[in-house]
Amino acid sequence: MRNVPHENPSGTAAAADTAPNKDLEGHKLLMLVPWDPPAGYVEGLRKTFPGLEVAHANWDTWKEGALPGHLTDEDWANVTILLTGPKFPTREAAPKLRLVQLQSAGANYVLDNPLFKDTDVAFCTANGIHGPQIAEWIVCTYLAFQHNIPRFLDNMKEHKWERSWDDSDTQDAVKQRVGILGYGSIGRQVARVATAMGMVIYAYTNRPRPTPESRRDHSYVVPGLGDPEGTLPSRWFSGTEPHEVHEFLSAKLDLLVLAVPLTPQTRGLIGAPQLDALRAAGPGRTFLCNVGRGPVVDTAALIAALDAGHVRGAALDVTDPEPLPVDHPLWDAKNLIVTPHVSGNSNGYNQRLLAVLDINLHRLSEGKGFMNRVSKKRGY
Protein backbone atom coordinates (compact mmCIF):
# COMPACT_ATOMS: atom_id res chain seq x y z
CA MET A 1 0.00 0.00 0.00
CA ARG A 2 1.07 3.64 -0.44
CA ASN A 3 1.81 6.41 2.00
CA VAL A 4 3.17 4.39 4.88
CA PRO A 5 6.64 4.82 6.42
CA HIS A 6 9.41 2.27 6.43
CA GLU A 7 12.50 3.14 8.44
CA ASN A 8 15.81 1.78 7.28
CA PRO A 9 16.45 -1.63 8.88
CA SER A 10 19.57 -2.30 6.86
CA GLY A 11 21.81 -2.37 9.88
CA THR A 12 20.71 -5.91 10.48
CA ALA A 13 23.27 -8.14 8.83
CA ALA A 14 22.10 -10.52 6.15
CA ALA A 15 22.76 -14.18 6.65
CA ALA A 16 26.24 -15.33 5.74
CA ASP A 17 26.52 -16.79 2.25
CA THR A 18 30.28 -17.25 1.98
CA ALA A 19 32.94 -19.36 3.63
CA PRO A 20 35.52 -17.58 5.80
CA ASN A 21 38.54 -16.23 3.90
CA LYS A 22 40.72 -14.54 6.50
CA ASP A 23 43.24 -13.04 4.06
CA LEU A 24 40.62 -12.26 1.37
CA GLU A 25 42.73 -14.27 -1.02
CA GLY A 26 41.50 -13.84 -4.60
CA HIS A 27 39.57 -10.65 -3.87
CA LYS A 28 40.07 -7.27 -5.53
CA LEU A 29 38.75 -3.98 -4.12
CA LEU A 30 38.21 -1.10 -6.53
CA MET A 31 37.73 2.26 -4.80
CA LEU A 32 35.86 4.46 -7.27
CA VAL A 33 35.76 7.73 -5.31
CA PRO A 34 36.62 11.39 -6.08
CA TRP A 35 39.35 11.59 -3.44
CA ASP A 36 42.56 9.86 -2.54
CA PRO A 37 42.54 7.34 0.32
CA PRO A 38 44.07 8.68 3.54
CA ALA A 39 47.80 8.14 3.99
CA GLY A 40 48.45 4.60 5.12
CA TYR A 41 44.90 3.36 4.52
CA VAL A 42 45.65 1.08 1.57
CA GLU A 43 48.79 -0.22 3.25
CA GLY A 44 46.72 -0.99 6.34
CA LEU A 45 44.26 -3.00 4.25
CA ARG A 46 47.05 -5.00 2.66
CA LYS A 47 48.53 -5.75 6.07
CA THR A 48 45.17 -6.86 7.49
CA PHE A 49 44.16 -8.81 4.36
CA PRO A 50 47.36 -10.01 2.63
CA GLY A 51 45.42 -11.62 -0.20
CA LEU A 52 43.42 -8.50 -1.09
CA GLU A 53 44.34 -6.53 -4.21
CA VAL A 54 43.46 -2.83 -3.87
CA ALA A 55 42.95 -0.45 -6.79
CA HIS A 56 41.85 3.20 -6.75
CA ALA A 57 40.41 5.45 -9.45
CA ASN A 58 39.81 9.11 -8.60
CA TRP A 59 36.39 9.53 -10.20
CA ASP A 60 33.20 11.32 -9.19
CA THR A 61 30.35 8.98 -10.07
CA TRP A 62 27.85 11.62 -8.95
CA LYS A 63 29.00 14.17 -11.51
CA GLU A 64 30.28 12.05 -14.36
CA GLY A 65 27.86 10.46 -16.78
CA ALA A 66 29.66 7.14 -17.01
CA LEU A 67 32.30 4.96 -15.44
CA PRO A 68 35.92 6.03 -16.05
CA GLY A 69 36.97 5.19 -19.57
CA HIS A 70 40.57 4.48 -18.63
CA LEU A 71 39.53 1.32 -16.76
CA THR A 72 39.97 -1.62 -19.14
CA ASP A 73 38.09 -4.89 -19.36
CA GLU A 74 41.04 -6.47 -17.61
CA ASP A 75 40.77 -3.94 -14.76
CA TRP A 76 37.13 -4.92 -14.16
CA ALA A 77 37.48 -8.66 -14.72
CA ASN A 78 38.72 -9.53 -11.23
CA VAL A 79 36.91 -6.87 -9.18
CA THR A 80 34.98 -8.55 -6.34
CA ILE A 81 34.38 -5.50 -4.12
CA LEU A 82 33.42 -2.06 -5.42
CA LEU A 83 33.22 1.21 -3.50
CA THR A 84 31.17 3.60 -5.63
CA GLY A 85 28.34 6.08 -5.99
CA PRO A 86 25.47 5.76 -8.50
CA LYS A 87 27.42 4.23 -11.40
CA PHE A 88 27.92 0.47 -11.80
CA PRO A 89 29.41 -1.99 -14.27
CA THR A 90 27.34 -4.65 -15.95
CA ARG A 91 27.44 -8.18 -14.64
CA GLU A 92 29.25 -9.19 -17.81
CA ALA A 93 31.96 -6.58 -17.27
CA ALA A 94 32.51 -7.54 -13.63
CA PRO A 95 31.60 -11.24 -13.43
CA LYS A 96 33.30 -11.81 -10.07
CA LEU A 97 31.67 -8.88 -8.26
CA ARG A 98 30.34 -9.89 -4.82
CA LEU A 99 29.91 -6.65 -2.84
CA VAL A 100 29.04 -3.08 -3.79
CA GLN A 101 29.63 -0.61 -0.96
CA LEU A 102 27.66 2.54 -1.72
CA GLN A 103 28.84 5.98 -0.67
CA SER A 104 25.34 7.08 0.33
CA ALA A 105 22.76 6.11 2.92
CA GLY A 106 20.00 6.15 0.32
CA ALA A 107 19.73 3.35 -2.21
CA ASN A 108 16.75 4.40 -4.33
CA TYR A 109 19.01 4.85 -7.39
CA VAL A 110 20.04 1.16 -7.42
CA LEU A 111 16.60 -0.42 -7.27
CA ASP A 112 16.06 -0.62 -11.04
CA ASN A 113 19.64 -1.46 -11.93
CA PRO A 114 20.01 -5.02 -13.32
CA LEU A 115 23.12 -5.58 -11.22
CA PHE A 116 20.95 -5.15 -8.14
CA LYS A 117 17.69 -6.64 -9.40
CA ASP A 118 18.90 -9.65 -11.32
CA THR A 119 22.01 -10.89 -9.48
CA ASP A 120 23.05 -11.96 -6.01
CA VAL A 121 25.60 -9.13 -5.66
CA ALA A 122 25.25 -7.59 -2.19
CA PHE A 123 24.63 -3.83 -2.16
CA CYS A 124 25.36 -2.11 1.16
CA THR A 125 24.66 1.51 2.08
CA ALA A 126 26.66 3.95 4.17
CA ASN A 127 23.80 4.19 6.64
CA GLY A 128 25.06 5.60 9.93
CA ILE A 129 27.75 7.97 8.71
CA HIS A 130 25.40 10.93 8.27
CA GLY A 131 23.92 11.03 11.75
CA PRO A 132 26.15 13.67 13.36
CA GLN A 133 26.08 16.33 10.64
CA ILE A 134 22.43 15.91 9.64
CA ALA A 135 21.32 15.98 13.26
CA GLU A 136 23.26 19.22 13.65
CA TRP A 137 21.50 20.64 10.58
CA ILE A 138 18.08 19.71 11.96
CA VAL A 139 18.73 21.22 15.37
CA CYS A 140 20.46 24.23 13.80
CA THR A 141 17.56 25.13 11.50
CA TYR A 142 14.97 24.50 14.21
CA LEU A 143 16.76 26.69 16.76
CA ALA A 144 17.46 29.37 14.15
CA PHE A 145 13.75 29.58 13.43
CA GLN A 146 12.77 29.51 17.11
CA HIS A 147 15.23 32.31 17.91
CA ASN A 148 14.32 34.44 14.86
CA ILE A 149 17.83 34.23 13.40
CA PRO A 150 16.70 34.62 9.75
CA ARG A 151 15.01 37.91 10.61
CA PHE A 152 18.04 39.20 12.50
CA LEU A 153 20.32 38.27 9.61
CA ASP A 154 18.11 40.28 7.27
CA ASN A 155 18.23 43.21 9.71
CA MET A 156 22.02 42.99 9.87
CA LYS A 157 22.29 43.38 6.09
CA GLU A 158 20.30 46.62 6.46
CA HIS A 159 22.39 47.75 9.47
CA LYS A 160 19.17 47.66 11.44
CA TRP A 161 19.13 47.22 15.26
CA GLU A 162 15.68 45.96 16.22
CA ARG A 163 15.64 44.66 19.77
CA SER A 164 12.67 42.80 21.16
CA TRP A 165 11.69 43.12 24.81
CA ASP A 166 8.95 40.52 24.47
CA ASP A 167 9.93 37.16 25.96
CA SER A 168 6.94 35.53 24.31
CA ASP A 169 8.46 35.82 20.83
CA THR A 170 11.00 33.06 21.52
CA GLN A 171 10.19 29.43 22.31
CA ASP A 172 13.11 27.54 23.80
CA ALA A 173 13.51 23.79 23.43
CA VAL A 174 12.78 22.66 26.99
CA LYS A 175 9.92 20.15 27.10
CA GLN A 176 9.24 20.57 23.39
CA ARG A 177 8.08 17.33 21.75
CA VAL A 178 10.10 15.89 18.87
CA GLY A 179 8.44 13.33 16.61
CA ILE A 180 10.98 11.38 14.56
CA LEU A 181 9.44 9.56 11.62
CA GLY A 182 12.06 6.96 10.72
CA TYR A 183 14.08 6.15 13.83
CA GLY A 184 17.30 5.15 12.10
CA SER A 185 20.81 6.46 12.61
CA ILE A 186 19.90 10.07 11.82
CA GLY A 187 16.80 10.01 13.98
CA ARG A 188 18.71 8.47 16.88
CA GLN A 189 21.37 11.18 16.81
CA VAL A 190 18.64 13.84 16.67
CA ALA A 191 17.15 12.18 19.73
CA ARG A 192 20.50 12.31 21.53
CA VAL A 193 21.03 16.02 20.86
CA ALA A 194 17.41 16.95 21.52
CA THR A 195 17.38 15.05 24.81
CA ALA A 196 20.43 17.04 25.93
CA MET A 197 18.39 20.20 25.37
CA GLY A 198 15.50 18.93 27.48
CA MET A 199 13.20 17.85 24.65
CA VAL A 200 10.85 14.84 24.71
CA ILE A 201 11.29 12.16 22.03
CA TYR A 202 8.55 10.27 20.18
CA ALA A 203 9.76 7.64 17.70
CA TYR A 204 7.92 6.11 14.75
CA THR A 205 8.98 2.85 13.11
CA ASN A 206 7.18 0.66 10.61
CA ARG A 207 7.42 -2.43 12.81
CA PRO A 208 6.55 -2.59 16.53
CA ARG A 209 9.53 -2.34 18.89
CA PRO A 210 8.10 -3.67 22.16
CA THR A 211 11.27 -5.18 23.65
CA PRO A 212 14.73 -3.76 24.48
CA GLU A 213 16.30 -6.04 21.89
CA SER A 214 13.93 -4.86 19.16
CA ARG A 215 14.85 -1.24 19.87
CA ARG A 216 18.60 -1.67 19.43
CA ASP A 217 20.44 -0.21 16.46
CA HIS A 218 22.49 -2.72 14.47
CA SER A 219 23.72 -0.30 11.79
CA TYR A 220 26.98 1.64 11.88
CA VAL A 221 27.14 4.06 14.81
CA VAL A 222 29.80 6.72 15.27
CA PRO A 223 31.31 5.73 18.63
CA GLY A 224 29.69 7.50 21.54
CA LEU A 225 26.81 8.94 19.52
CA GLY A 226 23.23 8.06 18.61
CA ASP A 227 20.89 5.89 20.63
CA PRO A 228 22.30 2.37 20.15
CA GLU A 229 20.07 0.80 22.80
CA GLY A 230 16.91 2.67 21.84
CA THR A 231 16.34 4.07 25.32
CA LEU A 232 15.74 7.77 24.54
CA PRO A 233 12.14 7.84 23.21
CA SER A 234 9.46 8.24 25.84
CA ARG A 235 6.89 6.85 23.38
CA TRP A 236 7.16 4.50 20.43
CA PHE A 237 4.65 4.49 17.58
CA SER A 238 4.56 2.00 14.74
CA GLY A 239 2.49 0.63 11.92
CA THR A 240 1.98 0.49 8.19
CA GLU A 241 -1.56 1.87 8.03
CA PRO A 242 -2.55 5.50 7.37
CA HIS A 243 -4.53 5.70 10.61
CA GLU A 244 -1.39 4.72 12.55
CA VAL A 245 0.57 7.52 10.90
CA HIS A 246 -2.32 9.84 11.71
CA GLU A 247 -2.17 8.87 15.38
CA PHE A 248 1.53 9.78 15.48
CA LEU A 249 1.01 13.12 13.72
CA SER A 250 -1.83 13.91 16.12
CA ALA A 251 0.44 13.64 19.17
CA LYS A 252 0.96 17.43 19.48
CA LEU A 253 4.43 17.47 17.99
CA ASP A 254 6.49 20.66 18.20
CA LEU A 255 9.15 19.37 15.81
CA LEU A 256 8.50 16.71 13.16
CA VAL A 257 11.63 15.14 11.66
CA LEU A 258 11.22 13.21 8.41
CA ALA A 259 14.14 10.80 8.05
CA VAL A 260 12.76 8.01 5.88
CA PRO A 261 14.20 6.73 2.59
CA LEU A 262 12.34 7.24 -0.67
CA THR A 263 10.44 4.10 -1.62
CA PRO A 264 7.12 3.55 -3.40
CA GLN A 265 5.56 3.40 0.08
CA THR A 266 7.02 6.69 1.33
CA ARG A 267 6.49 8.76 -1.81
CA GLY A 268 3.88 11.38 -0.90
CA LEU A 269 3.85 10.19 2.70
CA ILE A 270 3.19 13.70 4.02
CA GLY A 271 0.38 15.26 2.04
CA ALA A 272 -2.65 17.41 2.73
CA PRO A 273 -4.39 14.92 5.08
CA GLN A 274 -1.25 14.47 7.18
CA LEU A 275 -0.55 18.20 7.35
CA ASP A 276 -4.17 18.70 8.39
CA ALA A 277 -3.59 16.20 11.22
CA LEU A 278 -0.73 18.42 12.44
CA ARG A 279 -3.03 21.46 12.21
CA ALA A 280 -5.80 19.72 14.12
CA ALA A 281 -3.39 18.79 16.90
CA GLY A 282 -2.40 22.43 17.31
CA PRO A 283 -2.66 25.11 14.59
CA GLY A 284 0.75 26.65 13.96
CA ARG A 285 2.42 24.36 16.46
CA THR A 286 4.61 21.98 14.43
CA PHE A 287 7.89 22.82 12.72
CA LEU A 288 8.69 20.28 9.99
CA CYS A 289 12.20 19.20 8.95
CA ASN A 290 12.70 16.99 5.89
CA VAL A 291 16.14 15.42 5.46
CA GLY A 292 14.94 12.26 3.70
CA ARG A 293 14.00 12.87 0.09
CA GLY A 294 11.91 15.64 -1.45
CA PRO A 295 9.08 13.46 -2.82
CA VAL A 296 8.30 12.19 0.69
CA VAL A 297 6.42 15.49 1.06
CA ASP A 298 3.69 16.81 -1.25
CA THR A 299 5.22 20.19 -2.12
CA ALA A 300 1.98 21.92 -3.07
CA ALA A 301 0.29 20.76 0.12
CA LEU A 302 3.22 22.01 2.21
CA ILE A 303 3.17 25.43 0.56
CA ALA A 304 -0.54 25.70 1.32
CA ALA A 305 -0.04 24.65 4.95
CA LEU A 306 2.81 27.12 5.46
CA ASP A 307 0.99 30.04 3.87
CA ALA A 308 -2.16 29.31 5.89
CA GLY A 309 -0.21 29.03 9.15
CA HIS A 310 -1.34 25.45 9.71
CA VAL A 311 2.25 24.50 10.56
CA ARG A 312 4.71 26.71 12.42
CA GLY A 313 7.37 26.54 9.74
CA ALA A 314 9.61 24.15 7.86
CA ALA A 315 13.22 23.46 7.01
CA LEU A 316 13.93 21.48 3.86
CA ASP A 317 17.29 20.17 2.77
CA VAL A 318 15.57 18.15 0.04
CA THR A 319 12.83 19.33 -2.29
CA ASP A 320 10.51 18.10 -5.00
CA PRO A 321 11.52 19.02 -7.64
CA GLU A 322 15.26 19.08 -7.02
CA PRO A 323 17.14 21.22 -7.87
CA LEU A 324 14.41 23.72 -7.07
CA PRO A 325 13.75 25.94 -10.12
CA VAL A 326 14.38 29.65 -9.62
CA ASP A 327 10.72 30.51 -10.22
CA HIS A 328 9.20 27.76 -8.07
CA PRO A 329 6.56 28.99 -5.56
CA LEU A 330 8.19 27.04 -2.73
CA TRP A 331 10.88 29.73 -2.52
CA ASP A 332 8.24 32.25 -1.44
CA ALA A 333 6.37 30.11 1.10
CA LYS A 334 6.08 31.60 4.57
CA ASN A 335 8.35 30.61 7.45
CA LEU A 336 10.56 28.36 5.35
CA ILE A 337 14.28 27.58 5.36
CA VAL A 338 15.65 25.81 2.25
CA THR A 339 19.17 24.50 1.75
CA PRO A 340 20.42 22.73 -1.41
CA HIS A 341 20.80 19.12 -0.17
CA VAL A 342 23.89 19.84 1.92
CA SER A 343 22.94 18.60 5.39
CA GLY A 344 25.02 15.45 4.90
CA ASN A 345 28.22 17.35 4.13
CA SER A 346 31.03 16.81 6.63
CA ASN A 347 34.80 16.71 6.62
CA GLY A 348 34.42 13.45 8.54
CA TYR A 349 32.35 11.82 5.79
CA ASN A 350 35.09 9.89 4.01
CA GLN A 351 36.60 8.59 7.23
CA ARG A 352 33.24 7.22 8.37
CA LEU A 353 32.55 5.74 4.94
CA LEU A 354 35.83 3.82 5.07
CA ALA A 355 34.92 2.63 8.57
CA VAL A 356 31.76 1.02 7.15
CA LEU A 357 33.77 -0.49 4.28
CA ASP A 358 36.28 -1.89 6.80
CA ILE A 359 33.50 -3.56 8.77
CA ASN A 360 32.14 -5.22 5.65
CA LEU A 361 35.60 -6.36 4.56
CA HIS A 362 36.04 -8.00 7.95
CA ARG A 363 32.60 -9.62 7.67
CA LEU A 364 33.46 -10.91 4.22
CA SER A 365 36.70 -12.38 5.53
CA GLU A 366 34.79 -14.06 8.38
CA GLY A 367 32.00 -15.40 6.18
CA LYS A 368 29.42 -13.27 7.99
CA GLY A 369 26.50 -11.25 6.66
CA PHE A 370 27.16 -7.66 5.59
CA MET A 371 26.24 -4.52 7.51
CA ASN A 372 23.69 -2.18 5.90
CA ARG A 373 22.73 -4.59 3.10
CA VAL A 374 19.91 -3.31 0.90
CA SER A 375 16.83 -5.53 0.93
CA LYS A 376 15.37 -6.36 -2.47
CA LYS A 377 11.98 -6.77 -0.82
CA ARG A 378 11.91 -3.45 1.01
CA GLY A 379 14.05 -1.47 -1.42
CA TYR A 380 16.34 0.05 1.22
Side-chain angles (χ1 to χ4, degrees):
M1 62 179 299
R2 291 176 57 88
N3 297 343
V4 293
H6 289 261
E7 83 286 0
N8 192 335
S10 60
T12 303
D17 57 3
T18 61
N21 180 351
K22 181 180 178 181
D23 295 338
L24 291 182
E25 188 68 37
H27 282 279
K28 177 180 177 179
L29 165 64
L30 174 59
M31 303 176 66
L32 201 58
V33 292
W35 36 268
D36 293 328
Y41 177 75
V42 173
E43 291 76 9
L45 285 183
R46 289 170 176 154
K47 183 177 180 180
T48 303
F49 308 109
L52 177 65
E53 180 184 352
V54 181
H56 169 254
N58 196 314
W59 192 260
D60 193 339
T61 55
W62 300 95
K63 293 181 179 179
E64 302 293 342
L67 293 169
H70 67 271
L71 293 179
T72 66
D73 292 346
E74 185 178 353
D75 291 327
W76 283 107
N78 293 317
V79 172
T80 60
I81 307 155
L82 176 64
L83 174 63
T84 187
K87 300 293 186 301
F88 315 102
T90 64
R91 186 49 156 167
E92 292 72 24
K96 296 183 180 180
L97 191 61
R98 299 283 300 280
L99 167 64
V100 174
Q101 176 63 63
L102 301 174
Q103 300 172 28
S104 62
N108 50 292
Y109 56 86
V110 312
L111 302 183
D112 293 326
N113 190 287
L115 189 64
F116 175 76
K117 287 195 310 179
D118 304 331
T119 77
D120 59 356
V121 174
F123 279 69
C124 297
T125 72
N127 183 38
I129 73 174
H130 304 79
Q133 62 268 36
I134 295 183
E136 289 176 12
W137 183 94
I138 292 167
V139 173
C140 169
T141 53
Y142 174 66
L143 292 181
F145 184 83
Q146 295 292 86
H147 288 266
N148 303 300
I149 299 301
R151 175 164 62 89
F152 292 132
L153 289 174
D154 289 340
N155 287 348
M156 187 178 73
K157 293 175 184 177
E158 299 177 5
H159 299 190
K160 181 179 180 181
W161 183 279
E162 184 183 54
R163 183 174 181 180
S164 172
W165 298 92
D166 182 4
D167 285 338
S168 68
D169 71 357
T170 301
Q171 173 68 61
D172 63 40
V174 179
K175 296 184 180 180
Q176 294 288 285
R177 187 172 295 164
V178 185
I180 303 174
L181 206 162
Y183 200 63
S185 60
I186 293 168
R188 288 170 186 257
Q189 180 62 10
V190 172
R192 185 182 185 91
V193 177
T195 297
M197 297 193 300
M199 304 180 83
V200 179
I201 311 302
Y202 285 6
Y204 197 106
T205 59
N206 68 324
R207 293 168 294 169
R209 305 295 180 98
T211 66
E213 176 59 32
S214 68
R215 294 176 178 179
R216 289 177 181 157
D217 184 9
H218 298 283
S219 63
Y220 173 75
V221 179
V222 178
L225 302 185
D227 181 21
E229 301 301 317
T231 58
L232 295 180
S234 59
R235 287 189 66 185
W236 289 77
F237 295 76
S238 66
T240 57
E241 297 294 336
H243 74 271
E244 292 165 319
V245 179
H246 188 278
E247 179 187 6
F248 173 67
L249 298 177
S250 300
K252 298 183 178 179
L253 306 176
D254 298 293
L255 170 60
L256 171 62
V257 177
L258 303 178
V260 294
L262 181 62
T263 69
Q265 291 74 31
T266 62
R267 183 177 294 274
L269 173 64
I270 301 298
Q274 292 74 32
L275 292 165
D276 191 59
L278 294 175
R279 178 203 59 78
R285 175 171 186 154
T286 304
F287 187 85
L288 181 152
C289 278
N290 186 14
V291 293
R293 289 293 184 268
V296 170
V297 176
D298 182 324
T299 300
L302 179 61
I303 293 172
L306 286 167
D307 289 346
H310 293 170
V311 293
R312 183 174 177 83
L316 307 177
D317 188 50
V318 290
T319 61
D320 184 25
E322 186 177 313
L324 194 63
V326 65
D327 57 350
H328 197 282
L330 183 63
W331 288 113
D332 299 314
K334 294 180 180 178
N335 298 325
L336 177 66
I337 297 172
V338 175
T339 60
H341 207 145
V342 295
S343 65
N345 292 4
S346 169
N347 59 8
Y349 193 104
N350 297 346
Q351 179 183 1
R352 295 174 194 143
L353 173 62
L354 293 179
V356 176
L357 173 64
D358 288 348
I359 290 171
N360 276 332
L361 290 176
H362 278 280
R363 291 192 173 188
L364 178 61
S365 74
E366 296 164 358
K368 296 181 179 178
F370 297 119
M371 174 179 280
N372 292 351
R373 184 167 183 173
V374 182
S375 164
K376 283 187 170 66
K377 181 179 179 180
R378 295 190 177 95
Y380 55 96

PDB file of all heavy atoms in Angstrom, residues 146-157:
ATOM      1  N   GLN A 146      13.333  29.193  15.800  1.00  0.00           N
ATOM      2  CA  GLN A 146      12.771  29.508  17.111  1.00  0.00           C
ATOM      3  C   GLN A 146      13.327  30.816  17.669  1.00  0.00           C
ATOM      4  O   GLN A 146      12.634  31.540  18.389  1.00  0.00           O
ATOM      5  CB  GLN A 146      13.072  28.377  18.093  1.00  0.00           C
ATOM      6  CG  GLN A 146      12.411  27.047  17.759  1.00  0.00           C
ATOM      7  CD  GLN A 146      10.906  27.084  17.919  1.00  0.00           C
ATOM      8  OE1 GLN A 146      10.182  27.475  17.001  1.00  0.00           O
ATOM      9  NE2 GLN A 146      10.421  26.686  19.082  1.00  0.00           N
ATOM     10  N   HIS A 147      14.585  31.106  17.366  1.00  0.00           N
ATOM     11  CA  HIS A 147      15.230  32.306  17.907  1.00  0.00           C
ATOM     12  C   HIS A 147      15.287  33.450  16.889  1.00  0.00           C
ATOM     13  O   HIS A 147      16.053  34.403  17.076  1.00  0.00           O
ATOM     14  CB  HIS A 147      16.638  31.957  18.403  1.00  0.00           C
ATOM     15  CG  HIS A 147      16.630  31.138  19.655  1.00  0.00           C
ATOM     16  ND1 HIS A 147      16.719  31.694  20.911  1.00  0.00           N
ATOM     17  CD2 HIS A 147      16.516  29.804  19.840  1.00  0.00           C
ATOM     18  CE1 HIS A 147      16.680  30.726  21.826  1.00  0.00           C
ATOM     19  NE2 HIS A 147      16.553  29.567  21.193  1.00  0.00           N
ATOM     20  N   ASN A 148      14.489  33.347  15.824  1.00  0.00           N
ATOM     21  CA  ASN A 148      14.321  34.439  14.860  1.00  0.00           C
ATOM     22  C   ASN A 148      15.617  34.840  14.157  1.00  0.00           C
ATOM     23  O   ASN A 148      15.785  35.990  13.727  1.00  0.00           O
ATOM     24  CB  ASN A 148      13.719  35.677  15.549  1.00  0.00           C
ATOM     25  CG  ASN A 148      12.398  35.383  16.219  1.00  0.00           C
ATOM     26  OD1 ASN A 148      11.434  34.978  15.581  1.00  0.00           O
ATOM     27  ND2 ASN A 148      12.345  35.576  17.536  1.00  0.00           N
ATOM     28  N   ILE A 149      16.551  33.901  14.011  1.00  0.00           N
ATOM     29  CA  ILE A 149      17.830  34.233  13.402  1.00  0.00           C
ATOM     30  C   ILE A 149      17.686  34.705  11.952  1.00  0.00           C
ATOM     31  O   ILE A 149      18.374  35.659  11.549  1.00  0.00           O
ATOM     32  CB  ILE A 149      18.793  33.033  13.498  1.00  0.00           C
ATOM     33  CG1 ILE A 149      19.040  32.668  14.965  1.00  0.00           C
ATOM     34  CG2 ILE A 149      20.110  33.329  12.791  1.00  0.00           C
ATOM     35  CD1 ILE A 149      19.633  33.758  15.805  1.00  0.00           C
ATOM     36  N   PRO A 150      16.830  34.090  11.113  1.00  0.00           N
ATOM     37  CA  PRO A 150      16.697  34.616   9.745  1.00  0.00           C
ATOM     38  C   PRO A 150      16.316  36.094   9.712  1.00  0.00           C
ATOM     39  O   PRO A 150      16.860  36.858   8.902  1.00  0.00           O
ATOM     40  CB  PRO A 150      15.602  33.725   9.139  1.00  0.00           C
ATOM     41  CG  PRO A 150      15.731  32.427   9.881  1.00  0.00           C
ATOM     42  CD  PRO A 150      16.059  32.839  11.296  1.00  0.00           C
ATOM     43  N   ARG A 151      15.412  36.496  10.588  1.00  0.00           N
ATOM     44  CA  ARG A 151      15.007  37.914  10.610  1.00  0.00           C
ATOM     45  C   ARG A 151      16.171  38.805  11.036  1.00  0.00           C
ATOM     46  O   ARG A 151      16.402  39.875  10.450  1.00  0.00           O
ATOM     47  CB  ARG A 151      13.812  38.098  11.550  1.00  0.00           C
ATOM     48  CG  ARG A 151      13.399  39.561  11.738  1.00  0.00           C
ATOM     49  CD  ARG A 151      12.004  39.668  12.346  1.00  0.00           C
ATOM     50  NE  ARG A 151      11.933  39.072  13.667  1.00  0.00           N
ATOM     51  CZ  ARG A 151      12.188  39.737  14.800  1.00  0.00           C
ATOM     52  NH1 ARG A 151      12.566  41.009  14.740  1.00  0.00           N
ATOM     53  NH2 ARG A 151      12.075  39.149  15.964  1.00  0.00           N
ATOM     54  N   PHE A 152      16.922  38.380  12.038  1.00  0.00           N
ATOM     55  CA  PHE A 152      18.039  39.200  12.504  1.00  0.00           C
ATOM     56  C   PHE A 152      19.152  39.279  11.457  1.00  0.00           C
ATOM     57  O   PHE A 152      19.846  40.295  11.348  1.00  0.00           O
ATOM     58  CB  PHE A 152      18.581  38.660  13.825  1.00  0.00           C
ATOM     59  CG  PHE A 152      17.615  38.821  14.979  1.00  0.00           C
ATOM     60  CD1 PHE A 152      17.350  37.768  15.828  1.00  0.00           C
ATOM     61  CD2 PHE A 152      16.969  40.027  15.199  1.00  0.00           C
ATOM     62  CE1 PHE A 152      16.458  37.904  16.882  1.00  0.00           C
ATOM     63  CE2 PHE A 152      16.080  40.183  16.253  1.00  0.00           C
ATOM     64  CZ  PHE A 152      15.812  39.110  17.102  1.00  0.00           C
ATOM     65  N   LEU A 153      19.337  38.215  10.678  1.00  0.00           N
ATOM     66  CA  LEU A 153      20.325  38.267   9.606  1.00  0.00           C
ATOM     67  C   LEU A 153      19.910  39.269   8.533  1.00  0.00           C
ATOM     68  O   LEU A 153      20.743  40.003   7.990  1.00  0.00           O
ATOM     69  CB  LEU A 153      20.513  36.880   8.998  1.00  0.00           C
ATOM     70  CG  LEU A 153      21.236  35.849   9.864  1.00  0.00           C
ATOM     71  CD1 LEU A 153      21.227  34.482   9.189  1.00  0.00           C
ATOM     72  CD2 LEU A 153      22.665  36.277  10.167  1.00  0.00           C
ATOM     73  N   ASP A 154      18.613  39.287   8.219  1.00  0.00           N
ATOM     74  CA  ASP A 154      18.112  40.279   7.268  1.00  0.00           C
ATOM     75  C   ASP A 154      18.318  41.689   7.806  1.00  0.00           C
ATOM     76  O   ASP A 154      18.720  42.604   7.071  1.00  0.00           O
ATOM     77  CB  ASP A 154      16.637  40.039   6.974  1.00  0.00           C
ATOM     78  CG  ASP A 154      16.386  38.797   6.133  1.00  0.00           C
ATOM     79  OD1 ASP A 154      17.335  38.337   5.467  1.00  0.00           O
ATOM     80  OD2 ASP A 154      15.249  38.283   6.151  1.00  0.00           O
ATOM     81  N   ASN A 155      18.035  41.883   9.096  1.00  0.00           N
ATOM     82  CA  ASN A 155      18.228  43.205   9.709  1.00  0.00           C
ATOM     83  C   ASN A 155      19.696  43.620   9.647  1.00  0.00           C
ATOM     84  O   ASN A 155      20.015  44.801   9.435  1.00  0.00           O
ATOM     85  CB  ASN A 155      17.756  43.195  11.159  1.00  0.00           C
ATOM     86  CG  ASN A 155      16.241  43.164  11.280  1.00  0.00           C
ATOM     87  OD1 ASN A 155      15.522  43.364  10.298  1.00  0.00           O
ATOM     88  ND2 ASN A 155      15.739  42.914  12.481  1.00  0.00           N
ATOM     89  N   MET A 156      20.596  42.679   9.867  1.00  0.00           N
ATOM     90  CA  MET A 156      22.021  42.990   9.871  1.00  0.00           C
ATOM     91  C   MET A 156      22.469  43.518   8.513  1.00  0.00           C
ATOM     92  O   MET A 156      23.280  44.446   8.425  1.00  0.00           O
ATOM     93  CB  MET A 156      22.816  41.744  10.250  1.00  0.00           C
ATOM     94  CG  MET A 156      24.306  42.006  10.447  1.00  0.00           C
ATOM     95  SD  MET A 156      25.216  40.531  10.938  1.00  0.00           S
ATOM     96  CE  MET A 156      25.210  39.616   9.382  1.00  0.00           C
ATOM     97  N   LYS A 157      21.930  42.923   7.434  1.00  0.00           N
ATOM     98  CA  LYS A 157      22.289  43.380   6.095  1.00  0.00           C
ATOM     99  C   LYS A 157      21.868  44.831   5.876  1.00  0.00           C
ATOM    100  O   LYS A 157      22.474  45.557   5.082  1.00  0.00           O
ATOM    101  CB  LYS A 157      21.637  42.481   5.048  1.00  0.00           C
ATOM    102  CG  LYS A 157      22.180  41.055   5.035  1.00  0.00           C
ATOM    103  CD  LYS A 157      21.415  40.182   4.064  1.00  0.00           C
ATOM    104  CE  LYS A 157      21.893  38.743   4.128  1.00  0.00           C
ATOM    105  NZ  LYS A 157      21.110  37.860   3.224  1.00  0.00           N
TER     106      LYS A 157
END
